[in-house]
């Protein structure tokens, strides 16, 4: 028989060829001639049967293709493999899917909880059969259906039972549940019909898995074509991720592979093709905080970085995340204009401004202004979006201000920078210096306070060597400019300079360590507040010592160097710049300390030390501020009970337990249902921003991605590559298999995308 079909008529079709004789006499299968091209049988399945007794059919002849497997995998989500009564219509597709999946025997079911009316139940050891030699074999064909509380024979349910009386175990609608006469399953497994269907099951299973069917060549061609495109797309996606992660441009001056100027992406594809034959052939947490900051790019566009801070709980683990969302081009400079751009972007991203519980920006007037700044404009829309200035930026500004109000301090830092420039601007001077020093000198910036620590530390530890090099240059140099400059520097290195150098080395060391901690994205307000308070206490203690140790060390150094100018205009005064620095810290961190105090009773130490009355009062004050988020009465009851729970669960660690550790305790012990309001308050507190350093890190990526060689890059590409580069850990975990499967299936059928 010859069947001619058009391409459109054969898509997703199932063709059965049967002669016009007595269909009841169909017995054996024969070969049907199909006169179509491979492309014309897209996703088709053909069953071929000859003209004899139908009642004697022993096995359907099914053409199995890779696409059949795809359909079967998709259907697995809607098939209950442990419930044969749900297999009402045993079609070829269903039979193939069941065979490829295999029987779900239900061995994991707790049989002790399922009994019949007479108190009997199924016993797990019936899944095995004991042989006369005491060995046991598994009855892999046996299925226990929990829904039916009955046994079924998998192969007998797959194929239509042709006897007039169908055993219950082979009946898909009934099943066998006579546990008193369980020995009947031994009679069934030794019956000829069971053995016949068992052999058919195993034979067809092997053929399906080995693709041994009558259209084997067509199936293999489609399957290989699909795998080819899967492999190609996977390599292309990995190449794109590699370029994005390393901030490399994708495009070149030509789109032809193997041509000079084709770009990094095509060069990577060409490189992989040398080792890859396939390529060679191709050639919503609701609670969150907002972080925004601006910087110009290489094209002189103002780019605003958008970061969202939130608490992420996955697999029972609590983490604080600050995720990059986008770069936004803005032409606004005022607080009103910037706030408008921010709220528009949040609306476009489907982020509700009412979900924000914190704002984190630098201390610029247009961002931090109390009346017209961005934070004020957003608080008009949502009064719970508390503004907390960037802790790291505040510390930097406090240091810069305290070092700039005193003329002697300005002169000191200018001298430090002059020493560095004197050597660094001449290669011969730098070479002479580095022959003596172990660590090179560094310059510092007037606005980057952390750079001052990097400049002071190597100079303080090697001042003797630097002083000696300057003396040698004065004595041996033939260059008048070098001699005069060295003499000027030696004149400035006096008792006052050396005293300041020793003092600032100690101060900046403490400040630099605090700055680095304050830039951590996982830092919480309670830890930041403790860190700032510890820094203030250290400075206050240092101030009260009247610099006795520093003055003694400096005097000894002056005598060692033979400095004759020992006059010191700076007297030992308590009102030096320490008071200015401490006052700056007090008012710049006022808001941070206020919020940390409001939530302070939630720490482990407070839960341990506070009385019940004090705890209830603190809880009531906080609940009144966040009445939109928590129930006041329930929260008060929860916190008093939670205090006792924490003491009993972690008695040895309660004093040192932080908020994030307590939230982790709630997750570990599944206490959220009992303490929902406490869990919400914990998440609000952990969401509060501490620093805007994540925005600054995104600017570093911006300069790498959009450099002077890629200055014409579009905004959409910039944002997409920035997301892949900044969030490279998340990008590396993306599973492309679903996309690859769809793409490969389409390409293998030669359908245009």
């Amino acid at each position: 028989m010859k069947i001619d079909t058009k391409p459109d008529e054969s898509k997703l079709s199932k063709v059965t060829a049967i002669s016009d004789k007595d269909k009841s006499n169909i017995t054996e299968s024969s070969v049907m001639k199909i006169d179509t091209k491979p492309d014309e049988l897209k996703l088709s399945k053909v069953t071929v049967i000859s003209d004899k007794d139908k009642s004697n059919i022993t096995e359907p002849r099914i053409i199995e293709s890779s696409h059949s497997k795809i359909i079967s995998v998709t259907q697995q989500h809607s098939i209950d493999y442990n419930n044969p009564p749900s297999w009402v219509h045993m079609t070829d597709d269903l039979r193939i899917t069941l065979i490829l999946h295999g029987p779900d025997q239900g061995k994991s079911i707790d049989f002790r909880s399922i009994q019949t009316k007479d108190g009997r139940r199924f016993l797990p050891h019936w899944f095995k059969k004991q042989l006369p030699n005491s060995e046991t074999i598994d009855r892999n064909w046996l299925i226990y259906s929990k829904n039916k509380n009955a046994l079924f024979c998998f192969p007998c349910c797959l194929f239509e039972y042709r006897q007039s009386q169908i055993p219950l175990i082979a009946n898909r609608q009934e099943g066998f549940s006579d546990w008193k006469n369980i020995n009947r399953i031994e009679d069934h497994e030794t019956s000829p019909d069971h053995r016949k269907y068992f052999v058919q099951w195993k034979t067809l299973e092997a053929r399906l898995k080995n693709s041994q069917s009558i259209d084997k060549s067509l199936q293999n061609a489609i399957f290989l074509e699909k795998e080819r495109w899967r492999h190609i797309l996977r390599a292309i996606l990995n190449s794109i991720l590699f370029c994005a992660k390393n901030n490399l441009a994708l495009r070149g001056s030509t789109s032809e592979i193997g041509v000079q100027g084709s770009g990094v992406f095509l060069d990577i594809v060409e490189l992989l093709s040398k080792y890859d034959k396939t390529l060679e052939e191709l050639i919503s947490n609701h609670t969150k905080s907002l972080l925004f900051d601006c910087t110009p790019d290489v094209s002189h566009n103002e780019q605003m970085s958008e970061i969202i801070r939130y608490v992420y709980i996955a697999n029972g683990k609590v983490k604080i995340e600050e995720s990059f969302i986008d770069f936004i081009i803005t032409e606004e400079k005022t607080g009103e204009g910037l706030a408008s751009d921010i709220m528009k972007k949040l609306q476009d991203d489907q982020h509700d401004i009412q979900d924000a519980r914190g704002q984190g920006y630098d201390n610029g007037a247009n961002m931090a202004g109390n009346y017209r700044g961005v934070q004020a404009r957003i608080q008009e829309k949502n009064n719970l979006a508390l503004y907390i200035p960037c802790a790291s930026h505040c510390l930097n500004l406090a240091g810069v201000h305290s070092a700039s109000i005193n003329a002697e301090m300005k002169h000191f830092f200018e001298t430090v920078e002059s020493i560095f420039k004197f050597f660094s601007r001449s290669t011969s001077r730098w070479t002479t210096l580095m022959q003596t020093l172990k660590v090179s000198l560094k310059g510092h910036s007037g606005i980057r306070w952390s750079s001052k620590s990097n400049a002071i530390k190597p100079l303080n530890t090697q001042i003797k060597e630097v002083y000696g090099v300057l003396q040698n240059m004065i004595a041996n140099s033939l260059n008048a400019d070098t001699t005069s400059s060295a003499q000027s520097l030696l004149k400035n290195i006096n008792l006052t300079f050396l005293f300041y150098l020793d003092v600032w080395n100690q101060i900046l060391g403490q400040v630099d360590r605090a700055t680095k901690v304050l830039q951590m994205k996982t830092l919480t307000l309670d830890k930041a507040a403790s860190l700032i308070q510890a820094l203030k206490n250290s400075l206050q203690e240092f101030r009260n010592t009247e610099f006795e140790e520093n003055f003694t060390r400096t005097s000894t150094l002056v005598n060692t160097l033979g400095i004759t100018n020992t006059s010191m205009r700076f007297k030992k005064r308590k009102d030096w710049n320490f008071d200015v620095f401490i006052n700056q810290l007090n008012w710049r961190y006022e808001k941070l300390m206020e919020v940390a105090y409001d939530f302070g009773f939630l720490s482990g130490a407070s839960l341990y030390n506070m009385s019940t009355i004090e705890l209830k009062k603190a809880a009531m004050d906080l609940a009144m501020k966040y009445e939109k988020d928590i129930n006041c009465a329930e929260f008060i009851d929860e916190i008093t009970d939670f205090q006792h729970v924490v003491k009993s669960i972690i008695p040895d660690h309660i004093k040192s337990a932080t908020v994030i550790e307590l939230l982790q305790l709630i997750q570990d012990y599944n206490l959220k249902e009992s303490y929902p309001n406490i869990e919400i308050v914990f998440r609000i507190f952990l969401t509060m921003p501490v620093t805007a350093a994540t925005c600054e890190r995104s600017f570093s990526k911006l300069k790498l991605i959009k450099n002077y060689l890629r200055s014409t890059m579009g905004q959409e590409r910039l944002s997409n590559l920035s997301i892949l580069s900044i969030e490279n850990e998340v990008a590396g975990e993306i599973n492309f298999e679903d996309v690859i499967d769809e793409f490969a299936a389409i390409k293998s059928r030669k359908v245009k995308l």
Side-chain angles (χ1 to χ4, degrees):
M1 181 185 298
K2 180 177 180 180
I3 299 178
D4 291 322
T5 58
K6 298 181 180 179
D8 292 338
E9 294 174 348
S10 62
K11 294 179 182 176
L12 297 171
S13 64
K14 181 177 178 181
V15 181
T16 304
I18 308 176
S19 68
D20 297 330
K21 295 183 179 181
D22 188 359
K23 294 184 179 180
S24 63
N25 296 324
I26 298 175
T27 58
E28 65 181 50
S29 55
S30 62
V31 179
M32 179 180 65
K33 181 179 180 183
I34 302 174
D35 194 17
T36 55
K37 297 180 180 179
D39 287 344
E40 295 173 346
L41 279 175
K42 295 170 182 176
L43 292 176
S44 65
K45 184 175 291 183
V46 182
T47 303
V48 186
I49 309 175
S50 68
D51 306 329
K52 288 189 179 180
D53 192 352
K54 184 178 181 181
S55 62
N56 294 326
I57 292 180
T58 59
E59 176 182 350
R61 306 293 184 180
I62 299 172
I63 297 178
E64 169 61 16
S65 68
S66 59
H67 297 292
S68 307
K69 296 179 182 180
I70 296 174
I71 295 173
S72 299
V73 172
T74 305
Q75 292 176 343
Q76 289 180 6
H77 299 288
S78 58
I79 298 175
D80 187 352
Y81 296 98
N82 184 249
N83 188 27
S86 64
W87 311 342
V88 180
H89 304 290
M90 183 57 66
T91 62
D92 291 334
D93 285 346
L94 178 58
R95 183 181 292 109
I96 292 172
T97 303
L98 291 171
I99 291 176
L100 292 176
H101 180 275
D104 182 359
Q105 296 187 263
K107 291 183 177 180
S108 60
I109 298 173
D110 185 7
F111 303 102
R112 294 173 297 180
S113 60
I114 305 175
Q115 295 183 353
T116 57
K117 294 180 180 179
D118 59 356
R120 299 179 183 272
R121 59 182 175 85
F122 178 82
L123 299 179
H125 70 82
W126 291 338
F127 280 119
K128 295 182 180 293
K129 178 181 180 180
Q130 188 170 8
L131 301 177
N133 62 355
S134 299
E135 293 181 2
T136 58
I137 58 173
D138 292 329
R139 289 185 170 117
N140 292 322
W141 53 269
L142 192 62
I143 296 177
Y144 175 85
S145 174
K146 182 178 180 180
N147 293 341
K148 194 70 174 177
N149 188 22
L151 293 176
F152 295 88
C153 176
F154 181 72
C156 293
C157 291
L158 284 177
F159 306 99
E160 296 296 338
Y161 213 90
R162 299 303 177 188
Q163 300 298 326
S164 58
Q165 293 184 350
I166 303 176
L168 291 177
I169 197 170
N171 189 327
R172 288 198 301 269
Q173 301 303 319
E174 296 293 333
F176 178 85
S177 59
D178 186 6
W179 311 131
K180 182 178 180 180
N181 299 305
I182 192 64
N183 290 335
R184 291 181 182 178
I185 66 172
E186 295 183 2
D187 297 334
H188 174 75
E189 68 181 339
T190 57
S191 67
D193 291 319
H194 169 79
R195 288 174 177 172
K196 178 180 67 174
Y197 292 128
F198 185 89
V199 172
Q200 290 184 17
W201 164 38
K202 289 300 180 181
T203 302
L204 185 56
E205 181 183 48
R207 292 177 57 191
L208 292 175
K209 292 183 177 179
N210 295 327
S211 298
Q212 294 179 352
S213 51
I214 60 179
D215 65 336
K216 179 180 178 180
S217 59
L218 175 60
Q219 299 165 35
N220 288 340
I222 295 176
F223 180 78
L224 292 175
E225 181 70 2
K226 173 193 169 185
E227 288 300 311
R228 173 176 174 266
W229 284 107
R230 280 171 54 88
H231 193 80
I232 288 170
L233 185 59
R234 187 181 292 109
I236 290 174
L237 290 172
N238 288 333
S239 299
I240 294 174
L241 283 174
F242 174 83
C243 293
K245 183 177 180 180
N246 292 276
N247 310 305
L248 300 175
L250 272 70
R251 294 180 297 179
S253 57
T254 179
S255 60
E256 297 182 15
I257 296 178
V259 178
Q260 185 176 3
S262 58
V264 176
F265 168 69
L266 295 182
D267 286 345
I268 293 176
V269 174
E270 182 183 12
L271 175 64
L272 292 177
S273 70
K274 296 179 180 179
Y275 306 95
D276 192 312
K277 294 300 181 183
T278 305
L279 286 178
E280 185 177 4
E281 295 172 0
L282 175 67
I283 294 260
S284 232
N285 285 298
H286 293 292
T287 304
K288 54 181 172 286
S289 289
L290 312 176
L291 302 172
F292 287 89
D293 203 356
C294 299
T295 190
D297 63 15
V298 70
S299 301
H300 309 291
N301 295 320
E302 191 76 5
Q303 297 281 358
M304 183 161 57
S305 175
E306 178 187 5
I307 306 290
I308 300 297
R309 179 183 172 99
Y310 56 96
V311 175
Y312 179 63
I313 303 176
N315 299 322
K317 300 298 181 182
V318 180
K319 293 193 299 183
I320 300 174
E321 294 287 352
E322 290 184 358
S323 297
F324 172 80
I325 304 300
D326 207 353
F327 279 125
I328 312 159
I329 290 183
T330 179
E331 298 178 354
E332 300 292 340
K333 297 296 181 182
T334 64
E336 182 180 4
L338 290 171
S340 177
D341 285 350
I342 289 173
M343 286 188 282
K344 183 178 182 303
K345 183 62 170 65
L346 292 174
Q347 185 177 2
D348 293 341
D349 294 340
Q350 298 182 349
H351 290 302
D352 191 351
I353 190 64
Q354 299 302 322
D355 292 336
R357 291 297 176 265
Q359 306 176 65
Y361 319 120
D362 60 19
N363 289 267
N366 57 350
M367 303 296 288
N370 291 329
Y371 302 104
R372 299 183 178 181
V374 171
Q375 64 92 10
R377 303 283 181 178
I378 290 182
Q379 280 201 318
E380 290 177 359
K381 303 290 184 180
N382 178 11
N383 64 337
L384 294 180
L386 301 180
Y387 167 63
I388 301 176
C390 173
S392 180
H393 194 235
C394 287
L395 185 55
N396 181 76
L397 292 178
V400 170
H401 182 75
S402 61
S404 62
I405 63 171
N406 188 300
E408 291 180 346
M409 292 302 164
K410 290 182 179 180
H411 179 69
F412 164 74
F413 284 109
E414 288 173 357
T415 302
V416 172
E417 184 67 12
S418 297
I419 294 174
F420 170 74
K421 290 180 178 179
F422 170 77
F423 289 106
S424 63
R425 289 180 177 178
S426 170
T427 55
S428 59
R429 296 175 194 167
W430 187 261
T431 302
T432 303
L433 177 68
M434 292 310 298
Q435 290 174 351
T436 305
L437 301 187
K438 295 181 180 179
V439 180
S440 64
L441 301 182
K442 297 177 176 63
H444 66 86
S445 170
I447 58 175
R448 289 184 62 248
W449 187 246
S450 59
S451 67
K452 287 179 169 53
S453 176
N454 297 331
I456 294 295
K457 184 176 180 179
L459 181 60
N460 180 68
T461 56
Q462 304 174 107
I463 188 62
K464 294 180 183 179
E465 290 79 1
V466 173
Y467 194 86
V469 172
L470 290 174
Q471 286 180 325
N472 292 335
M473 286 185 174
I474 293 173
N476 303 323
S477 177
L478 300 177
N479 189 321
D481 181 62
T482 300
T483 302
S484 62
S485 297
Q487 289 175 343
S488 177
L489 291 175
L490 282 179
K491 183 179 179 180
N492 289 328
I493 302 178
N494 52 26
L495 178 61
T496 303
F497 176 83
L498 295 175
F499 177 77
Y500 282 140
L501 186 65
D502 187 54
V503 170
W504 276 111
N505 181 61
Q506 289 185 263
I507 298 173
L508 291 173
Q510 299 179 35
V511 173
D512 186 54
R513 287 188 290 271
T515 301
K516 291 178 180 179
V517 176
L518 290 174
Q519 293 176 359
M520 297 171 59
K521 73 175 184 179
T522 57
L523 188 67
T524 56
L525 281 181
D526 54 341
K527 293 184 178 180
S530 300
L531 184 65
I532 296 302
Q533 188 60 48
L535 179 60
K536 290 194 296 184
N537 295 339
S538 178
L539 292 175
Q540 188 67 41
E541 181 181 356
F542 189 63
R543 171 188 181 276
N544 295 335
T545 61
E546 299 183 4
F547 320 121
E548 294 291 347
E549 295 181 2
N550 301 88
F551 190 80
T552 301
R553 283 196 301 268
T554 303
S555 300
T556 304
L557 180 61
V558 167
N559 295 331
T560 302
L561 296 177
I563 297 175
T564 56
N565 181 12
T566 58
S567 60
M568 188 172 179
R569 289 174 292 174
F570 175 75
K571 307 294 183 182
K572 291 187 292 181
R573 298 176 301 179
K574 291 185 178 181
D575 60 347
W576 190 57
N577 288 49
F578 282 98
D579 290 338
V580 176
F581 200 178
I582 293 173
N583 289 336
Q584 285 280 316
L585 294 178
N586 285 333
W587 78 267
R588 289 188 181 277
Y589 288 102
E590 182 178 0
K591 188 63 178 179
L592 185 148
M593 294 294 183
E594 178 184 340
V595 177
Y597 176 79
D598 290 341
F599 289 85
F601 68 96
L602 296 173
S603 68
S606 298
L607 291 175
Y608 181 82
N609 295 317
M610 293 179 69
S611 64
T612 303
I613 297 177
E614 293 174 332
L615 205 58
K616 286 185 176 181
K617 183 180 183 303
M620 181 180 297
D621 293 340
L622 186 66
M624 292 176 64
K625 294 181 179 179
Y626 291 94
E627 58 183 359
K628 295 181 180 179
D629 296 314
I630 58 178
N631 183 293
C632 182
E634 292 180 0
F635 180 58
I636 295 174
D637 292 338
E638 288 177 15
I639 196 65
T640 54
D641 187 48
F642 187 70
Q643 182 184 31
H644 301 294
V645 171
V646 174
K647 288 181 178 180
S648 61
I649 294 179
I650 50 172
D652 298 332
H653 307 290
I654 182 173
K655 293 183 179 180
S656 60
T658 61
V659 174
I660 192 170
E661 291 172 343
L662 293 176
L663 179 57
Q664 183 64 61
L665 183 142
I666 290 178
Q667 295 296 322
D668 293 341
Y669 289 87
N670 297 319
L671 301 177
K672 182 177 179 179
E673 294 183 3
S674 300
Y675 305 100
N677 293 284
I678 292 180
E679 197 265 351
I680 292 172
V681 171
F682 280 163
R683 286 192 287 112
I684 292 175
F685 177 69
L686 296 175
T687 300
M688 293 294 180
V690 179
T691 176
T694 304
C695 294
E696 299 291 342
R697 295 187 186 99
S698 68
F699 296 154
S700 299
K701 292 292 186 180
L702 170 65
K703 290 176 173 58
L704 291 173
I705 296 171
K706 190 172 183 179
N707 52 41
Y708 72 98
L709 294 175
R710 306 164 73 183
S711 58
T712 60
M713 180 185 296
Q715 190 66 19
E716 182 178 1
R717 171 168 289 208
L718 171 63
S719 295
N720 292 338
L721 290 177
S722 298
I723 291 174
L724 291 175
S725 179
I726 296 171
E727 302 294 338
N728 58 79
E729 293 184 3
V730 178
E733 296 174 358
I734 295 176
N735 186 357
F736 294 106
E737 291 305 315
D738 293 339
V739 178
I740 292 173
D741 283 340
E742 182 178 357
F743 176 82
I746 293 175
K747 291 297 293 184
S748 66
R749 299 196 304 269
K750 308 296 184 183
V751 176
K752 293 184 179 180
L753 293 174

